[in-house]
Amino acid sequence: MTSEHECYVYIVLPGTAEFVTAGRFRVAQAPGGEAVGEFVYGRRYLERTDAVELDPVELRLRRGKYETARMQGFFGAIRDSMPDYWGRRIIEKNAGHAQLEEFDYLKRGPDDRAGALGFGLNVQPPAPQRTFNRTLDLERLQVAADAVINNQADIAGSAASQVEALMLLGTSMGGARPKAVVEHDQDLWLAKFTRQDDRWNHPRVEHGLLKLASACSLTVADSKINTIADRDVLLVRRFDRDRTEGGYRRHRLVSALTLLQIDEGPMARTDWSYILLADEIRRVSAEPATDLRELFARMCFNAAVSNLDDHPRNHAIIAKERDWRLSPAYDLTPAPVIAKDRRDLSMTCGKFGRYANRENLLSDHARFLLSKDEAAALLHNIVETVRLQWRPEMRRAGVSEADCETIADAFLYDGFFYEA
Ligand SMILES: Nc1ncnc2c1ncn2[C@@H]1O[C@H](COP(=O)(O)OP(=O)(O)OP(=O)(O)O)[C@@H](O)[C@H]1O
Ligand SMILES: [Mg+2]
């Protein structure tokens, strides 16, 4: 029997805080066949003068049917709105033994997803989610997250409180680390928890790295540390939400994975590339020169601090109005590597592949619309700022001396300066 799933796709248009119906998404799979996804913009939506595209590469505004056989029929912009490893784990825990299909993760994910899209079975959109966790709930959420990680059968005493804890913890935001969304100071924040097996204080180190990136003149997400009991939680302000009187405005957010039209499978990794990403950003950004300069600096920063988990889901473009721009930087963490001669970023960063090395980083400067001298000056500034500031920034972020020692090898490793 052919399996078929269908839902409506809603969007919060620029300047508003309510969903409108944008189109219909459908996935069909014949037995033994490939899943094929279809998306059509609604006729009424296309008639609106304020209609906007879901993304600037795959689902441009136009009449007619879009089809894809990639990623089990899921278009990139829809995949970007779905939970990833962490959110899926919570959904699976909630589902018990039920067999889940890919579509279930879309339907069962809560309405706190990254970007401006929503999904549902009625042609009329629901009111967007209005109540969120508060920072007061963080302690409970951290306890529940520990229980999920440790695979404890019982995470909260009674069955009813277990269901409630999982519901609070569930999120459609992506990523693998334990997290939840909380409302704090009239804003929405991504709360990133510690894992008991972390080798250092992740919240504080990520906070310190975001501040160090900012000291290197990069545009980064706002962050702060919240300490409950003796555990630290990193709060990262969501740049895809802005509070207004009528609720939250939602900004479209599309990952670099979608922009490059690639997936996360091992076969696609050869196309994970800053250079190709630069080409796409040059085409879609409203300010290509500024955004490419920023992307180049981010790539250099990641190499200088061994943030080697800089995969294409850790880069995004955002549209607060009609136009697309590179989003602020997020998810910065030093990798615990020992190699001194060669470390590789997750994406190609020059003519010598993924090698996190000064000469390699500079080798394709023109693709970022930078002259050789401009690129060299940007890189030099980042190297000197990292050299002088990494430790003071970490200490200001409350990272202990011991943790500074543990991560010290991440900064400006030897091979960074070798001849490529
Ligand atoms: N400040 C932010 N505002 C809006 N969206 C964000 C923000 N920070 C992260 N995101 C979105 O949430 C996702 C998960 O966040 P993040 O990458 O920090 O989590 P993670 O679990 O550390 O990820 P990974 O699996 O890459 O280690 C990101 O891929 C991005 O789509
Ligand atoms: Mg991430």
Side-chain angles (χ1 to χ4, degrees):
M1 221 178 69
T2 301
S3 109
E4 276 187 20
H5 297 281
E6 192 172 70
C7 69
Y8 289 94
V9 179
Y10 317 120
I11 189 168
V12 174
L13 291 170
T16 72
E18 295 290 331
F19 280 131
V20 300
T21 304
R24 220 174 49 218
F25 173 54
R26 179 167 177 269
V27 180
Q29 182 168 24
E34 236 180 356
V36 175
E38 288 176 13
F39 176 80
V40 262
Y41 282 108
R43 197 167 35 84
R44 301 229 336 252
Y45 183 71
L46 288 172
E47 279 165 11
R48 297 182 69 115
T49 51
D50 57 354
V52 293
E53 63 202 8
L54 302 197
D55 76 66
V57 283
E58 213 177 9
L59 300 173
R60 308 293 303 271
L61 266 190
R62 69 154 168 82
R63 247 185 272 170
K65 185 161 55 173
Y66 283 100
E67 277 191 343
T68 184
R70 294 170 48 229
M71 300 193 299
Q72 303 181 59
F74 281 72
F75 295 91
I78 294 177
R79 183 266 327 273
D80 288 344
S81 315
M82 288 169 66
D84 195 1
Y85 180 78
W86 176 256
R88 284 168 183 250
R89 208 158 155 189
I90 306 293
I91 290 172
E92 285 154 14
K93 208 138 177 106
N94 254 323
H97 298 292
Q99 270 290 329
L100 297 177
E101 291 185 55
E102 191 60 15
F103 216 87
D104 292 313
Y105 295 101
L106 181 64
K107 282 196 310 212
R108 293 181 184 221
D111 176 37
D112 64 354
R113 46 192 98 244
L117 306 187
F119 304 88
L121 297 179
N122 296 319
V123 64
Q124 284 308 323
Q129 178 180 347
R130 286 185 196 285
T131 54
F132 295 92
N133 297 316
R134 295 156 307 151
T135 38
L136 270 175
D137 303 317
L138 283 172
E139 183 168 6
R140 235 179 107 205
L141 294 173
Q142 171 78 75
V143 170
D146 286 346
V148 169
I149 291 167
N150 297 332
N151 252 325
Q152 274 160 247
D154 173 20
I155 72 167
S158 72
S161 53
Q162 165 135 337
V163 168
E164 200 200 331
L166 282 173
M167 203 189 76
L168 295 176
L169 200 55
T171 177
S172 294
M173 298 290 281
R177 290 198 48 96
K179 58 174 72 61
V181 172
V182 295
E183 192 167 46
H184 169 66
D185 270 359
Q186 312 266 325
D187 270 319
L188 284 187
W189 301 72
L190 190 58
K192 297 181 74 175
F193 300 111
T194 46
R195 293 178 53 110
Q196 282 160 325
D197 54 1
D198 283 340
R199 281 181 45 207
W200 56 77
N201 186 323
H202 272 252
R204 286 193 186 269
V205 168
E206 185 169 345
H207 182 55
L209 216 49
L210 288 165
K211 298 295 174 206
L212 181 62
S214 182
C216 290
S217 304
L218 300 187
T219 305
V220 298
D222 246 0
S223 61
K224 61 168 85 181
I225 294 289
N226 199 308
T227 307
I228 352 133
D230 57 348
R231 303 275 289 273
D232 293 320
V233 182
L234 173 67
L235 298 184
V236 190
R237 199 184 79 77
R238 287 188 61 172
F239 44 68
D240 63 338
R241 293 287 187 277
D242 276 315
R243 193 173 172 118
T244 63
E245 292 226 327
Y248 282 97
R249 288 185 53 189
R250 301 184 182 206
H251 311 310
R252 286 168 291 157
L253 194 72
V254 163
S255 74
L257 218 43
T258 297
L259 207 48
L260 292 167
Q261 301 206 56
I262 48 176
D263 57 46
E264 288 179 298
M267 299 300 281
R269 292 206 177 184
T270 45
D271 294 332
W272 286 15
S273 160
Y274 281 102
I275 315 300
L276 297 175
L277 180 56
D279 294 345
E280 291 307 319
I281 288 182
R282 195 172 63 234
R283 292 194 310 109
V284 306
S285 165
E287 299 274 350
T290 312
D291 284 353
L292 287 180
R293 189 186 169 85
E294 172 80 20
L295 182 67
F296 177 80
R298 251 178 234 181
M299 169 178 93
C300 294
F301 180 81
N302 289 338
V305 304
S306 302
N307 175 28
L308 309 181
D309 195 27
D310 56 337
H311 54 77
R313 265 196 197 232
N314 282 337
H315 301 280
I317 53 166
I318 187 166
K320 295 197 170 189
E321 304 293 338
R322 206 163 258 283
D323 290 343
W324 295 93
R325 297 292 308 273
L326 186 65
S327 83
Y330 55 90
D331 199 9
L332 307 179
T333 322
V337 269
I338 303 158
K340 288 254 180 285
D341 295 338
R342 177 168 179 148
R343 295 177 186 176
D344 281 344
L345 294 177
S346 291
M347 314 210 289
T348 298
C349 55
K351 299 200 189 307
F352 306 93
R354 299 188 284 128
Y355 191 9
N357 165 276
R358 180 164 63 177
E359 195 184 329
N360 191 27
L361 294 165
L362 293 173
S363 67
D364 258 332
H365 59 87
R367 299 282 278 278
F368 298 87
L369 304 179
L370 295 169
S371 73
K372 196 167 176 211
D373 289 347
E374 284 169 328
L378 275 169
L379 178 65
H380 177 78
N381 173 51
I382 287 167
V383 168
E384 289 315 306
T385 308
V386 168
R387 196 194 306 282
L388 294 172
Q389 295 297 327
W390 81 261
R391 212 177 267 272
E393 285 295 352
M394 286 297 157
R395 296 295 284 149
R396 261 198 289 283
V399 177
S400 67
E401 276 296 348
D403 277 356
C404 281
E405 280 319 302
T406 309
I407 61 170
D409 280 348
F411 301 95
L412 301 174
Y413 80 109
D414 295 349
F416 185 88
F417 300 97
Y418 291 175
E419 264 178 45

